[in-house]
Amino acid sequence: MTDVGTPAEPVFEFNSLMQPEFSKCPWPYYKQMRDTNPVLRAGNGVTEFVFIARHEDIDRVLHAPRLFSSRPDESQSGDPLIPITFDPPEHSKWRRILDPMFSPREMAKLEDGIAQRANGLIDGFVERGECDYANEYAVPLPCLVFMQLMGFPLEEFETFVDIKERILRGGGESFQSQDPVQRQARDQIDTRIAELLDERRREPRDDLLTRLLNTEIEGRPLTHEELMGTCNLLFIAGLDTVTDSLSCFYAFLATNPVHRQRIVEDPDVIPKAVEEMLRYESPVTMVLPRLVTEETELGGCPVHAGDRIVPLLGSANNDESVVENPHVVDFDRPAMRHYAFGGGVHRCLGSHLARLELHISLREWHRRIPEYHIPDGVELKYAALLRQVEHLPLVFDKVVA
Ligand code: HEM
Protein backbone atom coordinates (compact mmCIF):
# COMPACT_ATOMS: atom_id res chain seq x y z
CA MET A 1 0.00 0.00 0.00
CA THR A 2 1.51 3.34 -1.00
CA ASP A 3 0.05 6.78 -0.53
CA VAL A 4 0.36 8.46 -3.93
CA GLY A 5 -0.19 11.88 -2.40
CA THR A 6 -2.46 14.83 -3.13
CA PRO A 7 -0.91 17.47 -5.37
CA ALA A 8 -1.71 21.21 -5.20
CA GLU A 9 -5.26 22.32 -5.77
CA PRO A 10 -6.23 23.77 -9.15
CA VAL A 11 -9.76 24.88 -10.12
CA PHE A 12 -12.04 22.92 -12.46
CA GLU A 13 -13.37 25.07 -15.34
CA PHE A 14 -15.25 24.55 -18.62
CA ASN A 15 -12.23 23.53 -20.65
CA SER A 16 -10.38 21.63 -17.92
CA LEU A 17 -11.19 18.26 -19.49
CA MET A 18 -9.27 19.34 -22.59
CA GLN A 19 -6.16 20.49 -20.74
CA PRO A 20 -3.10 18.21 -20.50
CA GLU A 21 -2.52 19.35 -16.87
CA PHE A 22 -5.95 18.03 -15.96
CA SER A 23 -5.39 14.74 -17.77
CA LYS A 24 -2.04 14.24 -16.11
CA CYS A 25 -3.28 14.86 -12.59
CA PRO A 26 -7.09 15.18 -12.37
CA TRP A 27 -7.52 14.24 -8.68
CA PRO A 28 -7.06 17.71 -7.12
CA TYR A 29 -9.49 19.20 -9.67
CA TYR A 30 -12.05 16.53 -8.75
CA LYS A 31 -11.58 17.13 -5.04
CA GLN A 32 -11.80 20.88 -5.35
CA MET A 33 -15.03 20.47 -7.29
CA ARG A 34 -16.58 17.95 -4.89
CA ASP A 35 -15.74 20.21 -1.93
CA THR A 36 -16.78 23.56 -3.37
CA ASN A 37 -18.77 23.20 -6.60
CA PRO A 38 -20.14 19.67 -7.02
CA VAL A 39 -22.73 20.83 -9.56
CA LEU A 40 -20.97 23.32 -11.83
CA ARG A 41 -22.76 25.09 -14.67
CA ALA A 42 -20.03 26.28 -17.05
CA GLY A 43 -19.93 27.46 -20.63
CA ASN A 44 -17.71 29.09 -23.22
CA GLY A 45 -20.26 31.42 -24.81
CA VAL A 46 -21.23 28.81 -27.41
CA THR A 47 -21.89 25.65 -25.38
CA GLU A 48 -22.86 25.13 -21.77
CA PHE A 49 -22.67 22.00 -19.64
CA VAL A 50 -23.47 21.10 -16.06
CA PHE A 51 -20.47 19.17 -14.69
CA ILE A 52 -21.15 16.93 -11.71
CA ALA A 53 -18.52 15.50 -9.37
CA ARG A 54 -20.12 13.72 -6.43
CA HIS A 55 -20.66 9.97 -6.45
CA GLU A 56 -24.24 10.35 -5.21
CA ASP A 57 -25.30 12.69 -8.06
CA ILE A 58 -23.43 10.68 -10.73
CA ASP A 59 -25.04 7.48 -9.50
CA ARG A 60 -28.47 9.10 -9.81
CA VAL A 61 -27.87 10.44 -13.34
CA LEU A 62 -26.51 7.14 -14.66
CA HIS A 63 -29.46 5.19 -13.27
CA ALA A 64 -32.28 7.47 -14.46
CA PRO A 65 -32.07 7.32 -18.28
CA ARG A 66 -35.61 8.67 -18.73
CA LEU A 67 -34.80 11.88 -16.88
CA PHE A 68 -31.15 12.06 -18.01
CA SER A 69 -31.25 10.91 -21.62
CA SER A 70 -28.35 9.83 -23.83
CA ARG A 71 -30.01 11.00 -27.02
CA PRO A 72 -28.11 13.69 -28.94
CA ASP A 73 -29.42 17.26 -29.04
CA GLU A 74 -29.95 19.20 -32.28
CA SER A 75 -26.40 20.59 -32.22
CA GLN A 76 -24.91 17.12 -32.82
CA SER A 77 -24.69 16.02 -36.43
CA GLY A 78 -24.17 12.61 -38.05
CA ASP A 79 -25.84 9.20 -37.76
CA PRO A 80 -26.71 8.02 -34.24
CA LEU A 81 -24.03 5.92 -32.57
CA ILE A 82 -25.62 2.61 -31.60
CA PRO A 83 -26.44 1.79 -28.84
CA ILE A 84 -25.02 4.75 -26.91
CA THR A 85 -27.36 7.44 -28.27
CA PHE A 86 -30.53 5.45 -27.51
CA ASP A 87 -32.52 5.31 -24.28
CA PRO A 88 -34.54 2.34 -23.03
CA PRO A 89 -36.67 0.65 -24.26
CA GLU A 90 -35.00 1.09 -27.71
CA HIS A 91 -31.54 0.78 -26.16
CA SER A 92 -32.38 -2.55 -24.47
CA LYS A 93 -33.20 -4.14 -27.86
CA TRP A 94 -29.72 -3.26 -29.09
CA ARG A 95 -27.96 -4.55 -25.99
CA ARG A 96 -29.87 -7.83 -26.31
CA ILE A 97 -28.27 -8.45 -29.71
CA LEU A 98 -24.84 -6.95 -28.94
CA ASP A 99 -24.19 -8.36 -25.44
CA PRO A 100 -23.83 -11.99 -26.63
CA MET A 101 -21.10 -10.90 -29.09
CA PHE A 102 -18.98 -9.54 -26.19
CA SER A 103 -19.94 -12.02 -23.44
CA PRO A 104 -17.28 -13.42 -21.08
CA ARG A 105 -17.61 -16.81 -22.81
CA GLU A 106 -17.04 -15.32 -26.29
CA MET A 107 -14.14 -13.22 -25.07
CA ALA A 108 -12.46 -16.18 -23.32
CA LYS A 109 -11.92 -17.70 -26.78
CA LEU A 110 -9.52 -14.81 -27.51
CA GLU A 111 -7.25 -15.52 -24.54
CA ASP A 112 -4.51 -17.50 -26.33
CA GLY A 113 -4.45 -15.09 -29.27
CA ILE A 114 -4.05 -12.08 -26.96
CA ALA A 115 -1.19 -13.78 -25.06
CA GLN A 116 0.55 -14.63 -28.35
CA ARG A 117 0.19 -11.07 -29.58
CA ALA A 118 1.52 -9.65 -26.30
CA ASN A 119 4.56 -11.95 -26.47
CA GLY A 120 5.13 -11.21 -30.15
CA LEU A 121 5.27 -7.49 -29.40
CA ILE A 122 7.58 -8.02 -26.39
CA ASP A 123 9.88 -10.17 -28.60
CA GLY A 124 10.26 -7.14 -30.85
CA PHE A 125 11.93 -4.95 -28.20
CA VAL A 126 12.93 -7.00 -25.14
CA GLU A 127 16.56 -7.49 -26.25
CA ARG A 128 16.95 -3.77 -26.88
CA GLY A 129 16.45 -3.19 -23.14
CA GLU A 130 13.98 -0.36 -23.69
CA CYS A 131 10.86 0.50 -25.64
CA ASP A 132 8.54 3.24 -26.68
CA TYR A 133 5.71 1.75 -24.62
CA ALA A 134 2.81 3.56 -26.28
CA ASN A 135 3.79 2.88 -29.88
CA GLU A 136 5.28 -0.57 -29.38
CA TYR A 137 2.79 -2.11 -26.93
CA ALA A 138 -0.15 -0.05 -25.60
CA VAL A 139 -1.39 0.95 -29.06
CA PRO A 140 -0.81 -2.18 -31.17
CA LEU A 141 -1.84 -4.83 -28.63
CA PRO A 142 -5.50 -3.89 -28.06
CA CYS A 143 -5.95 -2.36 -31.52
CA LEU A 144 -4.79 -5.49 -33.38
CA VAL A 145 -6.87 -7.75 -31.12
CA PHE A 146 -9.95 -5.62 -31.71
CA MET A 147 -9.41 -5.19 -35.46
CA GLN A 148 -9.10 -8.96 -35.88
CA LEU A 149 -12.27 -9.55 -33.86
CA MET A 150 -14.20 -7.04 -35.97
CA GLY A 151 -12.73 -8.15 -39.29
CA PHE A 152 -10.95 -4.86 -40.01
CA PRO A 153 -7.84 -5.60 -42.19
CA LEU A 154 -4.77 -5.76 -39.94
CA GLU A 155 -2.52 -4.33 -42.67
CA GLU A 156 -4.56 -1.09 -42.34
CA PHE A 157 -3.74 -0.86 -38.63
CA GLU A 158 -1.86 2.45 -38.90
CA THR A 159 -4.56 4.09 -41.02
CA PHE A 160 -7.32 2.98 -38.63
CA VAL A 161 -5.42 4.28 -35.59
CA ASP A 162 -4.70 7.55 -37.38
CA ILE A 163 -8.40 8.03 -38.27
CA LYS A 164 -9.45 7.24 -34.68
CA GLU A 165 -6.89 9.77 -33.37
CA ARG A 166 -8.23 12.48 -35.69
CA ILE A 167 -11.84 11.77 -34.64
CA LEU A 168 -11.10 11.75 -30.91
CA ARG A 169 -8.34 14.31 -30.68
CA GLY A 170 -8.37 16.28 -33.92
CA GLY A 171 -10.72 18.95 -32.57
CA GLY A 172 -8.06 20.99 -30.83
CA GLU A 173 -8.39 22.41 -27.37
CA SER A 174 -12.09 23.16 -27.34
CA PHE A 175 -14.39 20.72 -25.52
CA GLN A 176 -17.04 19.26 -27.91
CA SER A 177 -15.68 21.01 -30.99
CA GLN A 178 -16.86 19.93 -34.43
CA ASP A 179 -13.66 20.44 -36.34
CA PRO A 180 -13.24 19.84 -40.12
CA VAL A 181 -10.39 17.42 -39.26
CA GLN A 182 -12.87 15.30 -37.30
CA ARG A 183 -15.54 15.48 -40.00
CA GLN A 184 -13.10 14.39 -42.69
CA ALA A 185 -11.90 11.48 -40.54
CA ARG A 186 -15.50 10.39 -39.90
CA ASP A 187 -16.18 10.40 -43.66
CA GLN A 188 -13.04 8.37 -44.23
CA ILE A 189 -14.00 5.63 -41.76
CA ASP A 190 -17.62 5.61 -42.99
CA THR A 191 -16.41 4.89 -46.53
CA ARG A 192 -14.05 2.14 -45.42
CA ILE A 193 -16.56 0.42 -43.11
CA ALA A 194 -19.22 0.51 -45.86
CA GLU A 195 -16.74 -1.14 -48.27
CA LEU A 196 -15.86 -3.83 -45.73
CA LEU A 197 -19.54 -4.57 -45.07
CA ASP A 198 -20.06 -4.97 -48.83
CA GLU A 199 -17.11 -7.35 -49.00
CA ARG A 200 -18.58 -9.47 -46.17
CA ARG A 201 -22.00 -9.55 -47.86
CA ARG A 202 -20.25 -11.16 -50.84
CA GLU A 203 -17.82 -13.29 -48.83
CA PRO A 204 -18.84 -13.96 -45.20
CA ARG A 205 -16.06 -14.62 -42.68
CA ASP A 206 -15.75 -15.54 -39.02
CA ASP A 207 -15.79 -11.95 -37.71
CA LEU A 208 -18.13 -9.42 -36.11
CA LEU A 209 -18.80 -7.55 -39.38
CA THR A 210 -20.28 -10.76 -40.78
CA ARG A 211 -22.10 -11.50 -37.53
CA LEU A 212 -23.70 -8.04 -37.54
CA LEU A 213 -24.82 -8.56 -41.15
CA ASN A 214 -26.49 -11.84 -40.12
CA THR A 215 -28.07 -10.41 -36.97
CA GLU A 216 -31.75 -9.54 -36.75
CA ILE A 217 -33.48 -6.96 -34.61
CA GLU A 218 -37.20 -7.48 -34.09
CA GLY A 219 -37.25 -10.12 -36.84
CA ARG A 220 -35.53 -8.05 -39.57
CA PRO A 221 -31.91 -7.49 -40.63
CA LEU A 222 -30.15 -4.28 -39.58
CA THR A 223 -30.48 -1.37 -42.02
CA HIS A 224 -27.37 0.15 -43.59
CA GLU A 225 -27.61 3.15 -41.22
CA GLU A 226 -27.93 0.85 -38.20
CA LEU A 227 -24.91 -1.21 -39.28
CA MET A 228 -22.89 1.97 -39.76
CA GLY A 229 -23.98 3.44 -36.40
CA THR A 230 -23.02 0.24 -34.60
CA CYS A 231 -19.67 -0.24 -36.36
CA ASN A 232 -18.75 3.41 -35.91
CA LEU A 233 -19.23 3.28 -32.15
CA LEU A 234 -17.36 -0.02 -31.87
CA PHE A 235 -14.51 1.46 -33.93
CA ILE A 236 -14.14 4.46 -31.59
CA ALA A 237 -14.76 2.57 -28.34
CA GLY A 238 -12.64 -0.47 -29.19
CA LEU A 239 -9.54 1.28 -30.55
CA ASP A 240 -8.72 3.76 -27.80
CA THR A 241 -9.85 2.91 -24.30
CA VAL A 242 -7.65 -0.11 -23.56
CA THR A 243 -4.62 1.78 -24.87
CA ASP A 244 -5.53 4.66 -22.54
CA SER A 245 -5.81 2.28 -19.59
CA LEU A 246 -2.57 0.42 -20.36
CA SER A 247 -0.56 3.62 -20.64
CA CYS A 248 -2.00 5.05 -17.39
CA PHE A 249 -1.32 1.75 -15.60
CA TYR A 250 2.29 1.44 -16.78
CA ALA A 251 3.10 5.07 -15.97
CA PHE A 252 1.81 4.31 -12.47
CA LEU A 253 3.64 0.97 -12.13
CA ALA A 254 6.92 2.36 -13.49
CA THR A 255 6.90 4.97 -10.72
CA ASN A 256 5.49 2.76 -7.93
CA PRO A 257 7.88 -0.21 -7.64
CA VAL A 258 6.13 -1.65 -4.56
CA HIS A 259 2.92 -2.13 -6.54
CA ARG A 260 4.84 -3.48 -9.52
CA GLN A 261 6.73 -5.95 -7.34
CA ARG A 262 3.44 -7.22 -5.93
CA ILE A 263 2.26 -8.05 -9.47
CA VAL A 264 5.55 -9.79 -10.26
CA GLU A 265 5.53 -11.87 -7.07
CA ASP A 266 1.81 -12.62 -7.01
CA PRO A 267 0.29 -12.62 -10.53
CA ASP A 268 -3.00 -13.80 -9.00
CA VAL A 269 -3.44 -10.26 -7.71
CA ILE A 270 -3.68 -8.92 -11.29
CA PRO A 271 -7.53 -8.93 -11.54
CA LYS A 272 -7.75 -6.92 -8.30
CA ALA A 273 -4.89 -4.65 -9.38
CA VAL A 274 -6.68 -3.92 -12.67
CA GLU A 275 -9.90 -2.95 -10.88
CA GLU A 276 -8.04 -0.72 -8.44
CA MET A 277 -6.02 1.01 -11.15
CA LEU A 278 -9.18 1.45 -13.24
CA ARG A 279 -10.85 3.03 -10.22
CA TYR A 280 -7.97 5.31 -9.36
CA GLU A 281 -6.88 6.30 -12.88
CA SER A 282 -10.38 6.30 -14.46
CA PRO A 283 -8.88 6.72 -17.95
CA VAL A 284 -12.31 7.52 -19.47
CA THR A 285 -12.99 10.74 -17.59
CA MET A 286 -16.67 11.18 -18.42
CA VAL A 287 -19.66 9.52 -20.07
CA LEU A 288 -21.54 10.97 -23.00
CA PRO A 289 -23.31 14.14 -21.77
CA ARG A 290 -26.86 13.38 -20.59
CA LEU A 291 -29.79 15.56 -21.75
CA VAL A 292 -32.20 16.62 -18.99
CA THR A 293 -35.74 15.85 -20.16
CA GLU A 294 -37.71 17.69 -17.46
CA GLU A 295 -37.10 20.17 -14.66
CA THR A 296 -35.43 18.54 -11.66
CA GLU A 297 -32.57 19.11 -9.23
CA LEU A 298 -29.11 17.67 -8.72
CA GLY A 299 -27.34 18.00 -5.39
CA GLY A 300 -29.86 20.70 -4.48
CA CYS A 301 -29.24 22.77 -7.67
CA PRO A 302 -32.04 23.19 -10.20
CA VAL A 303 -31.44 21.73 -13.68
CA HIS A 304 -33.75 22.38 -16.61
CA ALA A 305 -35.05 20.47 -19.63
CA GLY A 306 -32.38 20.79 -22.35
CA ASP A 307 -29.44 21.10 -19.93
CA ARG A 308 -26.57 18.73 -20.69
CA ILE A 309 -25.02 16.97 -17.69
CA VAL A 310 -21.41 15.76 -17.70
CA PRO A 311 -20.75 13.16 -14.95
CA LEU A 312 -17.05 13.06 -14.05
CA LEU A 313 -16.43 9.34 -13.54
CA GLY A 314 -12.95 9.74 -12.04
CA SER A 315 -14.39 12.01 -9.39
CA ALA A 316 -17.09 9.49 -8.43
CA ASN A 317 -14.41 6.80 -8.24
CA ASN A 318 -12.27 8.94 -5.94
CA ASP A 319 -15.07 10.34 -3.77
CA GLU A 320 -14.16 9.91 -0.11
CA SER A 321 -17.85 9.52 0.80
CA VAL A 322 -17.80 6.04 -0.80
CA VAL A 323 -14.07 5.16 -1.01
CA GLU A 324 -11.92 5.10 2.07
CA ASN A 325 -8.58 6.87 1.45
CA PRO A 326 -9.25 7.22 -2.30
CA HIS A 327 -5.69 8.46 -3.01
CA VAL A 328 -4.22 5.24 -1.69
CA VAL A 329 -3.85 2.68 -4.45
CA ASP A 330 -4.53 -0.54 -2.58
CA PHE A 331 -4.70 -3.79 -4.55
CA ASP A 332 -6.28 -5.44 -1.49
CA ARG A 333 -9.13 -2.95 -1.27
CA PRO A 334 -12.44 -4.79 -0.79
CA ALA A 335 -14.24 -5.15 -4.14
CA MET A 336 -16.28 -2.06 -4.99
CA ARG A 337 -18.56 -1.13 -7.87
CA HIS A 338 -16.45 1.57 -9.56
CA TYR A 339 -17.62 3.65 -12.49
CA ALA A 340 -14.58 3.33 -14.79
CA PHE A 341 -16.85 1.44 -17.24
CA GLY A 342 -19.78 3.78 -16.61
CA GLY A 343 -22.96 2.54 -14.92
CA GLY A 344 -26.63 1.86 -15.47
CA VAL A 345 -27.98 0.70 -18.83
CA HIS A 346 -25.04 2.09 -20.85
CA ARG A 347 -22.40 0.33 -18.78
CA CYS A 348 -19.55 -0.60 -21.12
CA LEU A 349 -20.36 -3.29 -23.69
CA GLY A 350 -16.65 -4.12 -24.06
CA SER A 351 -15.75 -4.47 -20.37
CA HIS A 352 -15.13 -8.25 -20.57
CA LEU A 353 -12.84 -7.80 -23.55
CA ALA A 354 -11.07 -4.85 -21.92
CA ARG A 355 -10.50 -6.73 -18.67
CA LEU A 356 -9.17 -9.80 -20.49
CA GLU A 357 -6.71 -7.67 -22.50
CA LEU A 358 -5.56 -5.81 -19.38
CA HIS A 359 -5.11 -9.00 -17.35
CA ILE A 360 -3.16 -10.83 -20.05
CA SER A 361 -0.98 -7.91 -21.01
CA LEU A 362 0.02 -7.28 -17.37
CA ARG A 363 0.65 -11.00 -16.79
CA GLU A 364 2.80 -11.60 -19.89
CA TRP A 365 4.75 -8.35 -19.58
CA HIS A 366 5.67 -8.77 -15.89
CA ARG A 367 6.61 -12.42 -16.42
CA ARG A 368 9.24 -11.28 -18.90
CA ILE A 369 10.05 -7.70 -17.86
CA PRO A 370 9.63 -7.48 -14.09
CA GLU A 371 11.62 -4.28 -13.55
CA TYR A 372 11.57 -1.08 -15.60
CA HIS A 373 11.65 2.68 -15.14
CA ILE A 374 10.98 5.93 -16.98
CA PRO A 375 14.32 7.60 -17.91
CA ASP A 376 15.25 10.73 -15.94
CA GLY A 377 14.09 14.02 -17.37
CA VAL A 378 11.13 12.62 -19.29
CA GLU A 379 8.06 14.80 -18.76
CA LEU A 380 4.95 12.67 -19.35
CA LYS A 381 2.25 14.24 -21.51
CA TYR A 382 -1.31 12.95 -21.14
CA ALA A 383 -3.83 13.32 -23.98
CA ALA A 384 -7.05 15.05 -23.09
CA LEU A 385 -10.52 13.65 -22.40
CA LEU A 386 -9.51 10.01 -22.65
CA ARG A 387 -6.40 9.95 -20.47
CA GLN A 388 -3.56 8.48 -22.49
CA VAL A 389 0.18 8.91 -21.95
CA GLU A 390 1.21 9.87 -25.46
CA HIS A 391 4.88 9.07 -25.14
CA LEU A 392 6.05 6.65 -22.46
CA PRO A 393 9.68 5.53 -22.85
CA LEU A 394 10.53 2.59 -20.58
CA VAL A 395 14.01 1.28 -19.77
CA PHE A 396 14.22 -2.32 -18.54
CA ASP A 397 16.21 -3.01 -15.35
CA LYS A 398 15.60 -6.74 -15.41
CA VAL A 399 14.38 -9.10 -18.10
CA VAL A 400 13.71 -12.83 -17.83
CA ALA A 401 15.02 -14.94 -20.69
C1 HEM B 1 -10.62 -0.20 -20.24
C2 HEM B 1 -11.28 0.01 -21.37
C3 HEM B 1 -12.63 0.67 -21.45
C4 HEM B 1 -13.18 1.63 -20.66
C5 HEM B 1 -12.53 2.32 -19.45
C6 HEM B 1 -14.50 1.91 -21.18
C7 HEM B 1 -15.39 2.84 -20.65
C8 HEM B 1 -16.70 2.98 -21.05
C9 HEM B 1 -17.65 3.87 -20.42
C10 HEM B 1 -17.33 4.82 -19.27
C11 HEM B 1 -18.83 3.72 -21.05
C12 HEM B 1 -20.15 4.42 -20.72
C13 HEM B 1 -20.48 5.53 -21.71
C14 HEM B 1 -21.79 6.25 -21.39
O1 HEM B 1 -22.52 5.84 -20.48
O2 HEM B 1 -22.08 7.27 -22.05
C15 HEM B 1 -18.64 2.75 -22.10
C16 HEM B 1 -19.61 2.34 -22.98
C17 HEM B 1 -19.36 1.56 -24.09
N1 HEM B 1 -18.19 0.89 -24.36
FE1 HEM B 1 -16.52 0.89 -23.27
N2 HEM B 1 -14.72 1.11 -22.26
C18 HEM B 1 -13.62 0.34 -22.47
C19 HEM B 1 -13.43 -0.61 -23.46
C20 HEM B 1 -14.33 -0.88 -24.47
C21 HEM B 1 -14.08 -1.78 -25.56
C22 HEM B 1 -12.82 -2.60 -25.78
C23 HEM B 1 -15.19 -1.75 -26.34
C24 HEM B 1 -15.39 -2.54 -27.60
C25 HEM B 1 -16.33 -3.39 -27.74
C26 HEM B 1 -16.15 -0.85 -25.73
C27 HEM B 1 -17.41 -0.55 -26.21
C28 HEM B 1 -18.34 0.24 -25.57
C29 HEM B 1 -19.69 0.48 -26.09
C30 HEM B 1 -20.26 -0.05 -27.38
C31 HEM B 1 -20.32 1.30 -25.14
C32 HEM B 1 -21.75 1.82 -25.20
C33 HEM B 1 -22.66 0.90 -24.41
C34 HEM B 1 -24.11 1.35 -24.39
O3 HEM B 1 -24.42 2.48 -24.75
O4 HEM B 1 -24.94 0.53 -24.01
N3 HEM B 1 -15.58 -0.33 -24.60
N4 HEM B 1 -17.34 2.31 -22.06
Side-chain angles (χ1 to χ4, degrees):
M1 236 168 53
T2 301
D3 191 335
V4 294
T6 311
E9 196 176 90
V11 176
F12 187 91
E13 298 166 335
F14 179 80
N15 253 348
S16 292
L17 287 171
M18 300 308 293
Q19 305 303 321
E21 313 84 74
F22 171 85
S23 273
K24 183 168 184 180
C25 191
W27 303 276
Y29 292 83
Y30 292 146
K31 178 150 178 53
Q32 177 268 343
M33 217 182 139
R34 280 195 307 275
D35 289 350
T36 62
N37 250 327
V39 180
L40 175 70
R41 188 177 289 276
N44 62 356
V46 183
T47 322
E48 186 182 84
F49 290 100
V50 178
F51 297 91
I52 57 172
R54 283 192 185 149
H55 184 278
E56 189 186 345
D57 297 331
I58 291 173
D59 190 68
R60 178 160 164 245
V61 167
L62 294 181
H63 290 96
R66 196 189 57 77
L67 194 53
F68 301 103
S69 163
S70 294
R71 70 170 187 262
D73 64 18
E74 297 76 42
S75 67
Q76 287 162 297
S77 55
D79 290 330
L81 291 173
I82 298 174
I84 206 164
T85 53
F86 287 119
D87 297 324
E90 193 68 16
H91 172 265
S92 328
K93 296 179 200 158
W94 286 102
R95 285 298 292 244
R96 264 197 296 280
I97 63 168
L98 293 171
D99 280 345
M101 299 184 197
F102 292 94
S103 68
R105 204 159 51 144
E106 280 297 305
M107 296 303 99
K109 295 177 190 163
L110 306 179
E111 184 159 353
D112 291 347
I114 298 173
Q116 271 167 25
R117 240 183 232 296
N119 279 298
L121 291 168
I122 294 170
D123 288 342
F125 50 71
V126 67
E127 282 174 20
R128 223 168 61 223
E130 59 173 15
C131 75
D132 171 352
Y133 179 76
N135 283 330
E136 294 184 276
Y137 195 73
V139 175
L141 179 60
C143 291
L144 290 170
V145 168
F146 189 70
M147 287 180 68
Q148 184 161 22
L149 178 68
M150 285 299 292
F152 296 151
L154 298 191
E155 58 279 13
E156 292 173 40
F157 158 70
E158 284 181 9
T159 312
F160 272 61
V161 171
D162 174 58
I163 298 174
K164 177 269 299 177
E165 274 301 307
R166 281 185 280 135
I167 293 177
L168 286 180
R169 304 192 171 90
E173 299 266 301
S174 160
F175 184 45
Q176 290 271 310
S177 74
Q178 291 288 324
D179 191 272
V181 174
Q182 292 171 314
R183 272 203 300 277
Q184 194 210 19
R186 281 202 195 94
D187 290 346
Q188 203 180 340
I189 198 63
D190 276 356
T191 307
R192 192 62 189 117
I193 289 176
E195 285 168 0
L196 290 167
L197 285 167
D198 275 346
E199 284 175 24
R200 294 302 186 283
R201 271 190 197 96
R202 290 192 300 273
E203 258 183 70
R205 287 197 202 165
D206 182 14
D207 58 30
L208 286 188
L209 287 176
T210 307
R211 206 162 153 186
L212 285 167
L213 281 167
N214 294 332
T215 293
E216 294 199 336
I217 185 156
E218 299 181 314
R220 58 159 181 86
L222 274 58
T223 65
H224 177 71
E225 288 70 29
E226 289 168 345
L227 284 165
M228 294 302 292
T230 309
C231 290
N232 269 314
L233 176 59
L234 290 174
F235 165 76
I236 289 295
L239 283 196
D240 201 72
T241 46
V242 180
T243 297
D244 303 331
S245 308
L246 280 173
S247 69
C248 287
F249 289 9
Y250 277 68
F252 174 82
L253 292 169
T255 45
N256 288 274
V258 174
H259 290 77
R260 189 179 66 224
Q261 192 59 21
R262 177 83 194 280
I263 286 178
V264 172
E265 285 170 5
D266 177 16
D268 290 346
V269 83
I270 287 175
K272 288 200 290 180
V274 163
E275 296 313 303
E276 176 66 349
M277 288 191 283
L278 279 171
R279 175 198 72 78
Y280 177 70
E281 295 284 346
S282 297
V284 176
T285 51
M286 54 176 273
V287 296
L288 206 71
R290 300 301 201 251
L291 185 70
V292 178
T293 58
E294 62 187 61
E295 187 87 12
T296 183
E297 60 76 36
L298 267 175
C301 301
V303 289
H304 318 290
D307 280 348
R308 296 205 70 94
I309 312 289
V310 178
L312 298 171
L313 299 175
S315 184
N317 285 339
N318 284 277
D319 185 334
E320 39 291 276
S321 72
V322 287
V323 189
E324 206 176 317
N325 297 324
H327 288 291
V328 175
V329 175
D330 176 4
F331 293 165
D332 295 315
R333 189 182 286 283
M336 67 163 288
R337 207 174 46 123
H338 63 67
Y339 278 141
F341 289 116
V345 295
H346 291 281
R347 198 177 168 286
C348 180
L349 173 70
S351 64
H352 305 299
L353 172 60
R355 284 194 169 113
L356 189 69
E357 292 179 319
L358 294 170
H359 294 172
I360 296 174
S361 54
L362 282 168
R363 185 188 74 205
E364 295 306 309
W365 174 289
H366 288 92
R367 189 172 60 76
R368 299 183 62 185
I369 310 175
E371 286 173 30
Y372 49 92
H373 69 272
I374 301 168
D376 286 347
V378 172
E379 177 73 15
L380 297 186
K381 186 166 174 271
Y382 284 64
L385 215 52
L386 294 151
R387 301 182 56 238
Q388 181 178 134
V389 190
E390 289 173 331
H391 176 56
L392 180 57
L394 292 179
V395 174
F396 312 149
D397 302 308
K398 182 175 170 190
V399 295
V400 178

